[in-house]
Amino acid sequence: MVKITGSSSGLATVKHHLDYISRNGDVELTNECGESIHGREEVKELREQLKASQVPHDSNKREFLHVVFSMPAGTPEKAMRESVAQFCQEEFANRRYVMAFHGDTDHTHVHVCVNTRDIDRADEPRLSPRKADLFRWRLGFADKLRENGIDAAASERRHRFNYRKPEHSAVRQIRADNPSSAVYNVRRATANAEDRVIKATLQPEKAFVGPIRPPRLAKVQQAAKSELQAALRAGTRPPHPAEQRIQASKIKTLASWSEVVRNLDAAGERDLAQSLAKMMREADKPVTSRAQELYDLAKSRRSQDRDHDR
């Protein structure tokens, strides 16, 4: 996985990220020249060097990007470090960056804090990756891993017949905190909203930053709520907004995998060909949107309520 986890707008905010990835100086940092930075004093010297290179204390632009390169637990540390270092030397050439290896979590990962500015040319465009750039980074990272003896490959979700975006990290964390609750996010959000309303009533000048008003749902959630209510009133399951594009992508992907299966059969790789054929059979399952799943859930709940009343 290659993921941008955040950004810093200057030295004032990048300080906290450097303290985090270095575990307050306990974890070694490595800069773009391969030099080691260890201890709180050396991290402080790093910030002074960035200040001397005219990185502003506060800025209205992203001065640093926070990037994470992640692999499953048990990935060899040396190969992981070298793979990320080689990738950064090519992709972030002529930019300042530091990297930190963390191997004490469920997924072995490396944090990279990279300056968006070019070292020599002030008129050079800032580092501003888009979705296609992130996939290209994943491909490049996988290449470096293979060069260092780690069997890795990068693919898009559609190649694995997964057409839904992953769950938001905040929601995933709430789910982890409440494994036995079926309404984990609704319950916590409702409790927090009620708490904020009470505080706003008792001490309105301290409850909110900005205009004093009760908390509200985000516009995306309001639209989803309205769509669900309209579908329930009409008794019609909402259509999948991307169904045609998904079907076209599925046909194209299946054709490509079919060719791979034929080539594997011809090469005598029967086991791998059979596993790919199984994946292709499982790809025929219908794809549902979150709106459709909410509709099905609401219909089943209503049916259960009617049965309970009877």
Side-chain angles (χ1 to χ4, degrees):
M1 184 191 76
V2 179
K3 183 178 182 180
I4 295 176
T5 59
S7 61
S8 298
S9 56
L11 293 176
T13 50
V14 79
K15 172 186 180 299
H16 304 293
H17 187 63
L18 292 177
D19 289 341
Y20 168 68
I21 65 175
S22 68
R23 304 280 171 86
N24 292 318
D26 293 336
V27 173
E28 178 190 27
L29 301 180
T30 306
N31 64 11
E32 71 278 359
C33 299
E35 299 169 341
S36 175
I37 301 169
H38 197 278
R40 303 194 69 169
E41 289 300 320
E42 293 189 6
V43 173
K44 185 177 179 180
E45 290 177 7
L46 171 63
R47 295 199 300 270
E48 293 299 323
Q49 294 172 7
L50 293 172
K51 183 178 180 181
S53 62
Q54 298 183 346
V55 175
H57 186 267
D58 293 298
S59 174
N60 59 357
K61 297 181 179 180
R62 295 193 301 182
E63 296 292 337
F64 298 90
L65 286 181
H66 310 160
V67 189
V68 172
F69 297 80
S70 178
M71 284 290 285
T75 302
E77 177 179 349
K78 182 179 179 182
M80 181 76 171
R81 286 178 179 272
E82 291 180 354
S83 300
V84 177
Q86 292 167 6
F87 172 86
C88 291
Q89 288 170 3
E90 295 181 6
E91 187 65 37
F92 304 143
N94 221 35
R95 301 185 193 275
R96 290 184 172 86
Y97 61 85
V98 291
M99 50 183 284
F101 174 85
H102 289 180
D104 55 351
T105 60
D106 292 340
H107 289 80
T108 302
H109 60 278
V110 175
H111 289 274
V112 176
C113 182
V114 55
N115 195 337
T116 60
R117 299 185 181 195
D118 187 274
I119 293 177
D120 298 325
R121 296 184 55 185
D123 59 341
E124 186 72 15
R126 288 175 178 263
L127 181 65
S128 182
R130 296 295 185 262
K131 186 176 180 180
D133 295 317
L134 283 174
F135 181 61
R136 181 173 54 80
W137 288 6
R138 290 181 63 225
L139 291 173
F141 180 40
D143 285 341
K144 298 304 178 185
L145 288 168
R146 289 193 296 272
E147 290 175 7
N148 287 280
I150 299 177
D151 189 15
S155 61
E156 296 186 36
R157 289 198 312 272
R158 61 187 178 89
H159 295 153
R160 305 186 299 273
F161 305 105
N162 180 11
Y163 300 97
R164 179 176 293 183
K165 292 182 179 179
E167 189 175 47
H168 194 280
S169 57
V171 177
R172 186 167 58 251
Q173 184 60 49
I174 296 173
R175 185 194 295 277
D177 293 342
N178 300 271
S180 61
S181 175
V183 289
Y184 58 94
N185 55 344
V186 176
R187 183 180 63 190
R188 178 175 289 193
T190 302
N192 289 342
E194 291 174 353
D195 184 56
R196 288 195 296 268
V197 170
I198 292 172
K199 288 182 179 178
T201 304
L202 298 177
Q203 294 180 310
E205 70 281 359
K206 296 182 180 180
F208 297 100
V209 177
I212 306 302
R213 60 186 180 188
R216 60 177 179 82
L217 285 174
K219 291 183 178 180
V220 174
Q221 294 172 326
Q222 290 178 358
K225 176 183 175 182
S226 300
E227 180 185 359
L228 177 60
Q229 289 175 337
L232 289 171
R233 283 194 298 268
T236 305
R237 193 170 188 252
H240 197 302
E243 185 174 3
Q244 293 182 350
R245 295 197 301 273
I246 288 175
Q247 289 300 325
S249 174
K250 183 184 291 186
I251 292 172
K252 184 177 179 181
T253 305
L254 283 171
S256 299
W257 280 124
S258 297
E259 184 178 355
V260 173
V261 170
R262 288 194 297 270
N263 292 336
L264 288 172
D265 271 330
E269 298 285 346
R270 297 296 177 81
D271 292 340
L272 186 54
Q274 289 177 359
S275 64
L276 283 178
K278 180 181 178 182
M279 182 185 71
M280 292 169 62
R281 289 194 298 271
E282 294 174 349
D284 291 335
K285 61 184 179 182
V287 179
T288 58
S289 66
R290 285 193 171 90
Q292 290 174 331
E293 291 178 355
L294 284 173
Y295 177 84
D296 296 339
L297 178 62
K299 292 285 286 186
S300 65
R301 292 280 175 86
R302 286 186 172 187
S303 177
Q304 292 173 5
D305 292 342
R306 285 195 295 268
D307 292 341
H308 179 72
D309 292 340
R310 287 198 292 269

